[in-house]
Amino acid sequence: MEAPAYSDIRQAKSRINHRILETPVMQSSMLNELSGCHLYFKCENFQKAGAFKYRGATNAILKLNPEALRQGVCTHSSGNHAQALALAAAQAGTKAYVVMPESAPRNKVEAVRNYGADVFFCYSTLEAREEKLKEVQNATGAHFIHPYNHPDIIAGQGTAALELLKIQPGLDVVMAPVGGGGLMSGTAIATKHINPGITLIGAEPAGASDAQQSLYSKKLIPSVQPKTIADGLLTSLSDLTFSILSTHLDDILTCTEENIVLAMKLIMERMKIVVEPSAAVPFAIILEHKAMFRNKRVGMIVSGGNLDVSNFFPDNTDK
Amino acid sequence: MEAPAYSDIRQAKSRINHRILETPVMQSSMLNELSGCHLYFKCENFQKAGAFKYRGATNAILKLNPEALRQGVCTHSSGNHAQALALAAAQAGTKAYVVMPESAPRNKVEAVRNYGADVFFCYSTLEAREEKLKEVQNATGAHFIHPYNHPDIIAGQGTAALELLKIQPGLDVVMAPVGGGGLMSGTAIATKHINPGITLIGAEPAGASDAQQSLYSKKLIPSVQPKTIADGLLTSLSDLTFSILSTHLDDILTCTEENIVLAMKLIMERMKIVVEPSAAVPFAIILEHKAMFRNKRVGMIVSGGNLDVSNFFPDNTDK
């Protein structure tokens, strides 16, 4: 598999433009003051299905030939990719089949079903997932769309940075959270082509720092028993994303769990937007490494807003 | 005191335009589907100081003559008016003096102080507030700016509806929450002038339905021991707002506490924006009276987003 080129990201943008939302770039003078730099939040929490994942899923689906499209698409995911693929498939008039671990939160399962996808449960080991996925593929003929190890997915995710840099071409730093590395890969390819002078920094929780370890040791180190509330960032890099990030990233930084929670609180309190923990990680890193960012113009991809807000209402009002 | 005219609202808009944010009007296809109508959310939770109150406060301050302005402004409020007046005063280069009950939440006191205002504490009775306010006025010569019983405040609040109707002139219904009635009064005057065919509905919690009782019985009934989580809607109407609402409102509807919480959850979950309970009341009323709104185009002023989000993180991560 080859890395997508900048031209693939431009083409992805034209391909998906009528389906996606051009999400706003928000600023907050209070957060600028607090962090000592100029922050530009690219708000993919407002994207359809609540996260940037809808961009890649839509691009991958719209690139299928008519026959493949008719057979439907499938994936294994308990997170935002599952919802994004389910909605993108429905929009394209085809079916999505999603393999999810039995332990997946009910609200996530419901969200995927509400978009019209069929859900298949499996044990939560990687082996069980892959076995179940193969079973589903054999039964349906559906096309497998990996959450990040796929050039079309990466090209789709890169369109968020394209929009950010169109509005703010003069940034000093661009950051995105790193889980499987699809978003950061697309962001890196778009950013380095548009302005090679921009410093590219990956953002990871200290409790799931496999990408940092991989980049620092120059070999792919899988994520083993990650511990973080940033549930979108638990996965390992793939060969493809590892190779792209090795080529383009200037650095990859980590932050504590306390700073992720603080960053979430500040974003919700000051900017009045709902973000999931993973989406707050770049800002958490700025809070943790303030001196590095002093007076810089920093663009960040706010990856998603799929937070289970019912946790926020602890009484029995949910009944 | 006389009600402001439509021309006062237009003038207020020109006067404050360089200070306020033209907040977005948001839509959600999922919430439309759920409620069976077409919803247009005018997002004043994104306004400076986190609520529509900044419009009225700025208008009232910018109308002061230079000498009055030098002496500063004062008010009694434990809520959004206090923060709005503090910020508006700072922006105008003058001082705000705010009387707050000793029982006011610390984060609200801090927010007011952070905007540069002086805070004076009093007992939480109305008498104690007014006495303390008089004391502060005598000592400072500051000009009292009432939270809603003031034509300049009402004219300022009306500018939100002006912006909403510029973007969506063809609405069938316009709603706003009713506490002291300043927002609803300004909204009513602007709306009925621009399009008298629009149905104007005030939105109140059933646990604080003094405005509904007042309008139905055609006499001002004060709010006595209101019980609601919508803490911005506890106050009584004034003579001025009662008179304006009596003239213009088509109806005033109420909703349960359960529906306020449900509405907040749905807005946060689906639209990814943070709203305070008071701001969710119009949508709660739609959920409670669905048949009335079927297929209608409904504009709502989302009044504010000053929610104490630290309640949402129940563990000890705040330390």
Side-chain angles (χ1 to χ4, degrees):
Chain A
M1 240 174 330
E2 245 182 77
Y6 176 70
S7 58
D8 295 311
I9 299 176
R10 295 246 29 130
Q11 284 163 27
K13 171 75 175 149
S14 315
R15 188 176 296 118
I16 68 179
N17 216 28
H18 62 299
R19 295 278 173 90
I20 60 166
L21 295 177
E22 273 207 13
T23 56
V25 176
M26 293 181 75
Q27 289 185 264
S28 159
S29 50
M30 284 178 112
L31 295 188
N32 286 348
E33 208 173 298
L34 193 83
S35 56
C37 56
H38 308 280
L39 305 170
Y40 300 87
F41 295 86
K42 172 68 174 164
C43 292
E44 287 295 296
N45 53 329
F46 291 133
Q47 190 53 262
K48 288 182 187 170
F52 74 91
K53 294 273 186 184
Y54 184 71
R55 295 173 181 269
T58 300
N59 189 48
I61 285 178
L62 294 182
K63 279 200 76 178
L64 293 176
N65 65 48
E67 198 190 343
L69 189 63
R70 257 197 309 281
Q71 309 247 269
V73 291
C74 64
T75 200
H76 53 75
S77 163
S78 58
N80 288 335
H81 177 63
Q83 294 186 45
L85 192 71
L87 180 60
Q91 299 277 331
T94 190
K95 188 85 190 174
Y97 307 92
V98 179
V99 174
M100 299 180 96
E102 288 167 339
S103 58
R106 302 319 292 174
N107 65 323
K108 301 228 166 187
V109 175
E110 280 317 300
V112 169
R113 283 187 174 142
N114 283 341
Y115 289 132
D118 286 351
V119 174
F120 300 85
F121 291 104
C122 66
Y123 291 113
S124 61
T125 64
L126 185 62
E127 277 162 8
R129 280 178 171 214
E130 288 178 347
E131 199 177 312
K132 177 62 79 178
L133 184 72
K134 211 155 265 171
E135 203 182 303
V136 170
Q137 268 189 295
N138 288 339
T140 62
H143 189 84
F144 173 42
I145 297 190
H146 191 281
Y148 51 90
N149 193 38
H150 195 304
D152 298 340
I153 291 286
I154 291 170
Q157 320 303 31
T159 59
L162 219 57
E163 294 169 16
L164 170 64
L165 290 165
K166 192 175 166 195
I167 293 177
Q168 290 295 336
L171 296 174
D172 302 304
V173 179
V174 165
M175 296 176 83
V178 179
L183 175 64
M184 189 75 243
S185 291
T187 301
I189 293 164
T191 302
K192 284 292 176 182
H193 181 95
I194 294 170
N195 182 349
I198 293 176
T199 303
L200 262 179
I201 297 180
E204 243 187 350
S209 64
D210 56 293
Q212 190 190 52
Q213 292 165 40
S214 299
L215 264 71
Y216 284 7
S217 67
K218 297 186 197 304
K219 64 169 188 280
L220 208 170
I221 295 173
S223 182
V224 180
Q225 296 196 304
K227 272 193 81 170
T228 174
I229 57 161
D231 55 349
L233 307 181
L234 301 173
T235 40
S236 308
L237 298 179
S238 68
D239 289 337
L240 180 58
T241 57
F242 173 64
S243 146
I244 295 170
L245 299 189
S246 300
T247 307
H248 292 298
L249 281 205
D250 292 291
D251 204 350
I252 186 159
L253 299 174
T254 66
C255 61
T256 63
E257 294 296 295
E258 286 71 23
N259 277 328
I260 297 174
V261 172
L262 176 63
M264 276 181 81
K265 276 191 197 176
L266 286 169
I267 291 172
M268 292 177 68
E269 206 169 87
R270 305 300 180 175
M271 298 179 67
K272 317 295 181 189
I273 63 174
V274 175
V275 293
E276 58 190 72
S278 307
V281 169
F283 181 50
I285 280 171
I286 290 171
L287 294 173
E288 192 158 324
H289 304 267
K290 276 188 190 173
M292 282 187 60
F293 296 96
R294 178 91 50 227
N295 293 326
K296 296 265 196 292
R297 292 158 50 103
V298 185
M300 282 171 288
I301 316 285
V302 177
S303 50
N306 290 329
L307 189 66
D308 186 358
V309 299
S310 63
N311 290 341
F312 290 2
F313 299 87
D315 55 7
N316 59 358
T317 44
D318 214 6
K319 285 173 193 167
Chain B
M1 238 174 330
E2 246 181 79
Y6 176 69
S7 58
D8 294 312
I9 299 176
R10 295 245 32 126
Q11 284 163 26
K13 171 75 174 149
S14 314
R15 189 177 295 120
I16 68 179
N17 215 27
H18 63 298
R19 295 279 172 89
I20 59 166
L21 296 176
E22 273 208 13
T23 56
V25 176
M26 293 181 76
Q27 290 185 262
S28 160
S29 50
M30 287 178 112
L31 295 189
N32 286 348
E33 209 172 299
L34 194 81
S35 55
C37 56
H38 308 281
L39 305 169
Y40 301 86
F41 295 86
K42 172 67 175 165
C43 291
E44 286 294 296
N45 54 328
F46 291 134
Q47 190 51 265
K48 288 183 187 169
F52 74 90
K53 295 274 188 184
Y54 184 72
R55 295 174 180 268
T58 300
N59 189 48
I61 285 177
L62 294 182
K63 279 200 76 177
L64 293 175
N65 66 48
E67 197 190 343
L69 189 63
R70 255 197 311 279
Q71 308 248 269
V73 290
C74 65
T75 201
H76 54 75
S77 163
S78 58
N80 288 335
H81 177 62
Q83 294 186 45
L85 192 72
L87 180 60
Q91 299 277 329
T94 190
K95 188 85 190 175
Y97 307 92
V98 179
V99 174
M100 299 180 95
E102 287 167 342
S103 58
R106 302 319 293 173
N107 64 322
K108 300 229 165 186
V109 176
E110 281 316 301
V112 170
R113 283 188 174 140
N114 283 341
Y115 289 133
D118 286 352
V119 174
F120 299 86
F121 290 105
C122 65
Y123 291 114
S124 61
T125 64
L126 185 62
E127 277 161 10
R129 280 179 171 211
E130 288 179 347
E131 198 177 313
K132 178 61 82 178
L133 183 73
K134 211 154 264 170
E135 203 182 303
V136 170
Q137 268 189 294
N138 288 339
T140 61
H143 189 84
F144 173 41
I145 297 190
H146 191 280
Y148 51 89
N149 192 39
H150 196 304
D152 300 340
I153 290 286
I154 292 171
Q157 320 304 32
T159 59
L162 219 58
E163 294 169 16
L164 170 63
L165 290 164
K166 193 176 166 195
I167 294 177
Q168 290 296 334
L171 296 173
D172 301 305
V173 179
V174 166
M175 297 176 83
V178 179
L183 174 64
M184 189 75 244
S185 291
T187 302
I189 294 164
T191 302
K192 283 292 176 182
H193 181 94
I194 293 171
N195 183 349
I198 293 176
T199 303
L200 262 178
I201 297 180
E204 243 186 351
S209 64
D210 55 293
Q212 190 191 51
Q213 293 166 38
S214 300
L215 263 71
Y216 284 9
S217 66
K218 297 186 196 305
K219 63 168 190 277
L220 208 171
I221 295 174
S223 181
V224 180
Q225 296 197 304
K227 272 194 80 169
T228 175
I229 56 162
D231 56 349
L233 308 181
L234 301 172
T235 41
S236 309
L237 299 179
S238 69
D239 290 336
L240 181 58
T241 56
F242 173 63
S243 147
I244 296 169
L245 299 190
S246 299
T247 307
H248 292 299
L249 281 206
D250 292 291
D251 204 351
I252 186 159
L253 298 174
T254 65
C255 62
T256 63
E257 294 297 294
E258 287 69 23
N259 276 328
I260 297 174
V261 172
L262 176 62
M264 277 180 79
K265 275 189 196 177
L266 286 169
I267 291 172
M268 292 177 66
E269 206 168 87
R270 304 302 179 171
M271 299 178 65
K272 317 296 181 190
I273 63 173
V274 175
V275 293
E276 58 190 70
S278 307
V281 169
F283 181 50
I285 280 172
I286 290 171
L287 294 173
E288 193 158 323
H289 305 267
K290 276 188 191 174
M292 284 186 59
F293 297 95
R294 178 92 50 228
N295 291 327
K296 298 264 196 293
R297 293 157 50 102
V298 185
M300 282 171 289
I301 316 286
V302 177
S303 50
N306 290 330
L307 189 67
D308 187 359
V309 299
S310 64
N311 291 340
F312 290 2
F313 299 88
D315 55 8
N316 59 359
T317 44
D318 214 6
K319 285 170 192 168

